[in-house]
């Protein structure tokens, strides 16, 4: 399969580059900036690497600790595209010159296209591009010519057509570069000659093949949470292994209303062998008297592993199949959560405690939106394909203070009401998450003629792209009123409903 590798120099947009390239159906992966020749060879054994993209990054080429690439990449004969820092690094390494400008360029700029070739083929004389730099290329390396300039930047794009090496000072991967997609397409298809071979169908076929060859004639298990990653992995594993694969669903008692039944029903219909373990009592018992949120998470995580382990042992499974996805693996802001996700969702804590012969992670190279595509193709229901992110410890993180069956029941009912009303208002696809939290504040209310001292429920609804930042959703007041009226009417323990109007940062999405 044809592929483009992206050398990651630490820029916040590096991942966007790989995602854009994949959206053209060409496989792309992020690799360390100092990829060695041996590592590249290893890639070339499984992929036809047709070109390299050097990403942007925060460093200056003159910083001592600035990330560098091996100079061998310039003599491989492979097409190269440098973006921002990548562009500057190319100039620096190949004998050009980079200096700090008096004035930094941030935001949209007008680029005057001097020669529309390579990535710039087909572009107009002036293009809107997204700039974010202070350093600039001021002298071209030998063999290069200027392809574009801006008011402040004489070498906004450069190229050596004979060697197929190009550099752009701007970011084509960012939506503010109006024709950025065309620039990347030009590079990927015209300059590198890639064929669009990265399709969902191909992926499924290869993943099934991989699971089969890894597991051989042994048995395998997976911890199924009902989220899109573990569900998709389960569907793939069942396709590959049939009855030799078992999905274990541990019901810790903190799932949303109807969810355990839905999971069992869905996977049974899909023909996946499933064991549902009702461990609710064990979890509630373990959490008795515990109020510290991290302590709650630890207890839930450990008990989850214990319960899962017992089942895996009974089944005699030798392989563990996990739903780890690409963002879980890479060095990025996802890290904090991927660690948590690993404990609770992907149960990556298991292998060190259990002796599996091997672990198989068929989704390890996919982004979330690609996992959703695979899920759809495998026939998983919409509720799973588009499920909101849900913490592994479930509603337990949405009960502040001690977790008791009564409190979980209250937050579960409130959560159902929030979901029903948001979905009825048709806002569910626009929101990243929408849910209820049971606070530990009691407050006075009036019921009939009597005073009532009851619980306070908080509603949280946020818009976000990747959960690293989020803004509170400006839900219509009438929707909030319907939610609040229903909660206080249908859940007698609750006397007050509040709406959380905090963004992330400074708040997080969950309350914990
Ligand atoms: P915070 O609260 O830190 O959460 O803003 C960011 C995102 O992560 C989700 N989350 C989890 N997801 N397992 C998961 O799979 C977990 O243990 C977990 N904890 C938080 C949270 O819902 C939000 O989308």
């Amino acid at each position: 399969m044809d592929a483009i590798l992206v050398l990651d120099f630490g820029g916040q947009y590096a991942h966007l580059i790989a995602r854009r390239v994949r959206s053209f159906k060409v496989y792309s992966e992020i690799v360390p900036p100092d990829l060695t020749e041996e590592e590249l060879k290893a890639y070339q054994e499984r992929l036809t690497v047709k070109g390299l993209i050097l990403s942007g990054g925060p460093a200056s080429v003159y910083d001592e600790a600035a990330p560098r690439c091996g100079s061998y990449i310039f003599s491989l004969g492979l097409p190269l595209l440098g973006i921002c820092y990548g562009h500057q690094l190319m100039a620096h390494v190949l004998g050009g010159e980079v200096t700090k400008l008096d004035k930094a360029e941030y935001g949209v700029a007008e680029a005057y296209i001097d020669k529309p070739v390579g990535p710039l083929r087909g572009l107009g004389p002036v293009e809107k591009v997204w700039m974010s730099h202070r350093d600039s290329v001021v002298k071209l390396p030998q063999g290069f010519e200027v392809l574009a300039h801006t008011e402040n930047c004489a070498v906004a794009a450069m190229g050596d057509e004979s060697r197929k090496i190009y550099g752009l000072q701007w970011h084509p991967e960012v939506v503010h570069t109006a024709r950025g997609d065309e620039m990347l397409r030009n590079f990927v298809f015209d300059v590198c000659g890639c064929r669009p071979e990265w399709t969902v169908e191909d992926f499924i076929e290869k993943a099934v093949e991989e699971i089969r060859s890894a597991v051989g004639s042994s048995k395998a298990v997976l911890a199924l949470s009902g989220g899109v990653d573990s569900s998709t992995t389960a569907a793939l594993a069942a396709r590959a292994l049939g009855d030799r694969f078992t999905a274990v669903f541990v019901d810790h008692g903190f799932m949303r209303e109807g969810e355990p039944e839905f999971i069992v029903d869905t996977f049974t219909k899909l023909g996946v062998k499933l064991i549902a373990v009702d461990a609710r009592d064990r979890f509630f018992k373990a959490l008795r008297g515990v109020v510290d949120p991290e302590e709650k998470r630890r207890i839930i995580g450990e008990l989850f592993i214990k319960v899962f382990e017992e089942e895996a042992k009974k089944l005699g499974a030798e392989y563990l199949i996990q739903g780890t996805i690409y963002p879980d693996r890479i060095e990025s802001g996802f890290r904090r959560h991927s660690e948590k996700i690993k404990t609770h969702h992907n149960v990556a804590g298991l292998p060190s405690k259990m002796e599996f012969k091997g672990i198989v992670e068929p989704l390890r190279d996919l982004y979330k939106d690609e996992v959703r595509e695979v899920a759809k193709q495998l026939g998983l229901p919409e509720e799973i394909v588009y499920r909101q992110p849900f913490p592994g410890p479930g509603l337990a993180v949405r009960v502040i203070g001690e977790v008791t069956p009564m409190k979980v029941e209250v937050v579960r009912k409130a959560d159902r009401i929030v979901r029903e009303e948001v979905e009825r208002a048709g806002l569910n696809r626009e929101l990243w998450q929408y849910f209820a939290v049971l606070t530990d504040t009691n407050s006075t209310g009036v019921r009939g003629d009597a005073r009532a001292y009851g619980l306070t429920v908080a509603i949280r609804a946020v818009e976000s792209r990747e959960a690293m930042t989020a803004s509170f959703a400006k839900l219509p007041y009438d929707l909030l009123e319907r939610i609040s009226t229903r909660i206080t009417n249908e859940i007698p323990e609750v006397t007050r409903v509040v709406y959380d109007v905090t963004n992330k940062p400074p708040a997080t999405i969950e309350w914990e």
Side-chain angles (χ1 to χ4, degrees):
M1 185 166 53
D2 288 354
I4 299 284
L5 299 184
V6 179
L7 273 60
D8 178 6
F9 290 96
Q12 53 179 328
Y13 305 125
H15 287 283
L16 279 182
I17 305 172
R19 291 178 76 147
R20 289 265 185 277
V21 174
R22 286 194 193 186
S23 76
F24 311 150
K25 301 203 181 310
V26 172
Y27 186 72
S28 180
E29 229 182 276
I30 306 261
V31 297
D34 52 357
L35 183 82
T36 63
E37 262 187 285
E38 288 66 41
E39 286 167 333
L40 178 63
K41 279 208 189 95
Y43 275 102
Q44 283 168 324
E45 270 164 29
R46 58 184 182 91
L47 298 166
T48 311
V49 178
K50 287 284 192 81
L52 305 179
I53 298 181
L54 282 63
S55 87
S60 165
V61 291
Y62 294 108
D63 293 347
E64 219 159 277
R68 311 246 173 240
C69 53
S71 53
Y72 73 92
I73 68 163
F74 298 102
S75 40
L76 291 168
L78 277 180
L80 305 177
L81 175 66
I83 294 176
C84 197
Y85 175 80
H87 160 79
Q88 296 160 8
L89 184 67
M90 271 178 176
H92 181 68
V93 174
L94 296 174
E97 199 183 321
V98 177
T99 52
K100 214 171 233 33
L101 290 180
D102 296 337
K103 224 168 99 195
E105 266 190 316
Y106 288 114
V108 177
E110 294 200 320
Y112 298 91
I113 309 297
D114 301 305
K115 194 171 181 196
V117 295
L120 308 186
R121 197 178 65 92
L123 298 186
V126 188
E127 294 290 343
K128 282 200 165 29
V129 298
W130 177 258
M131 290 281 205
S132 171
H133 71 119
R134 176 140 215 159
D135 282 3
S136 250
V137 176
V138 290
K139 194 180 132 226
L140 292 169
Q142 210 175 5
F144 279 74
E145 58 187 330
V146 175
L147 303 183
H149 67 277
T150 68
E151 207 181 320
N152 295 315
C153 179
V155 188
M158 63 179 191
D160 175 346
E161 284 188 84
S162 64
R163 295 166 72 192
K164 296 190 176 179
I165 303 181
Y166 299 91
L168 304 177
Q169 180 54 66
W170 64 77
H171 289 273
E173 70 279 21
V174 170
V175 287
H176 309 290
T177 297
R179 297 175 74 179
D181 251 18
E182 272 175 77
M183 299 169 191
L184 289 172
R185 273 181 184 279
N186 280 338
F187 179 71
V188 169
F189 293 114
D190 292 356
V191 179
C192 300
C194 289
R195 287 161 301 177
E197 297 167 310
W198 167 248
T199 63
V200 168
E201 293 79 7
D202 272 350
F203 169 81
I204 293 175
E205 209 174 289
K206 289 197 182 97
V208 165
E209 207 43 53
E210 182 199 339
I211 299 170
R212 262 187 210 141
S213 79
V215 176
S217 56
S218 307
K219 289 184 199 155
V221 276
L222 162 140
L224 181 67
S225 71
V228 65
D229 304 343
S230 68
S231 296
T232 306
T233 312
L236 283 172
R239 193 176 271 205
L241 305 173
D243 267 5
R244 286 183 291 119
F245 167 71
T246 310
V248 176
F249 165 60
V250 177
D251 184 1
H252 46 30
F254 315 126
M255 299 303 279
R256 288 168 289 197
E257 197 167 293
E259 210 160 26
E261 299 77 7
F262 175 75
I263 292 171
V264 173
D265 189 48
T266 304
F267 285 90
T268 311
K269 276 191 194 137
L270 282 171
V272 177
K273 197 167 126 202
L274 174 97
I275 292 180
V277 192
D278 179 356
R280 290 175 297 181
D281 288 346
R282 287 173 75 177
F283 279 86
F284 278 114
K285 216 161 147 196
L287 288 175
R288 219 171 267 165
V290 181
V291 292
D292 178 72
E294 279 307 306
E295 184 68 2
K296 282 196 251 179
R297 273 188 180 266
R298 188 187 60 75
I299 292 171
I300 296 170
E302 280 180 15
L303 187 52
F304 184 96
I305 289 171
K306 198 157 169 240
V307 176
F308 181 77
E309 192 174 18
E310 290 165 8
E311 294 306 317
K313 239 186 219 146
K314 279 190 232 161
L315 289 163
E318 292 147 300
Y319 285 85
L320 176 70
I321 305 195
Q322 293 202 117
T324 314
I325 67 170
Y326 196 41
D328 293 340
R329 292 197 297 127
I330 44 180
E331 299 266 325
S332 77
F334 277 86
R335 216 173 180 199
R336 183 170 82 82
H337 275 306
S338 54
E339 276 162 13
K340 287 183 178 175
I341 290 162
K342 275 176 192 157
T343 318
H344 301 296
H345 267 198
N346 303 334
V347 283
L350 292 170
S352 60
K353 304 204 172 199
M354 302 174 65
E355 299 216 331
F356 283 106
K357 251 198 203 157
I359 308 166
V360 192
E361 298 178 319
L363 306 184
R364 67 183 175 278
D365 295 329
L366 299 197
Y367 286 106
K368 199 75 162 189
D369 46 353
E370 294 168 333
V371 177
R372 291 197 216 282
E373 289 301 316
V374 175
K376 268 195 253 170
Q377 185 74 24
L378 290 169
L380 291 173
E382 291 238 320
E383 289 92 325
I384 290 180
V385 177
Y386 295 106
R387 196 172 95 137
Q388 322 178 36
F390 187 59
L395 298 175
V397 303
R398 296 185 182 161
V399 169
I400 311 303
E402 189 186 359
V403 179
T404 66
M406 182 281 278
K407 287 186 182 171
V408 172
E409 202 43 41
V410 167
V411 84
R412 180 177 287 131
K413 282 186 190 154
D415 172 79
R416 171 175 49 79
I417 295 169
V418 175
R419 282 196 287 154
E420 281 176 2
E421 291 302 329
V422 168
E423 281 156 26
R424 198 168 294 160
L427 294 175
N428 42 314
R429 287 277 179 94
E430 282 164 41
L431 298 176
W432 174 262
Q433 270 171 295
Y434 44 98
F435 55 86
V437 175
L438 180 60
T439 74
D440 55 355
T441 301
N442 280 32
S443 83
T444 306
V446 186
R447 268 200 199 285
D449 292 328
R451 279 167 72 82
Y453 197 57
L455 303 170
T456 305
V457 163
I459 308 302
R460 182 85 164 132
V462 294
E463 289 167 5
S464 176
R465 282 179 74 98
E466 308 277 3
M468 283 153 66
T469 63
S471 39
F472 80 86
K474 283 68 179 178
L475 293 186
Y477 278 150
D478 57 346
L479 171 59
L480 287 170
E481 186 175 30
R482 273 198 302 279
I483 291 173
S484 142
T485 310
R486 280 194 60 193
I487 290 178
T488 46
N489 281 349
E490 295 173 33
I491 316 173
E493 294 90 343
V494 180
T495 49
R496 196 174 294 266
V497 178
V498 297
Y499 188 53
D500 182 347
V501 292
T502 335
N503 295 334
K504 170 182 179 173
T508 51
I509 295 176
E510 303 287 345
W511 276 40
E512 314 221 52

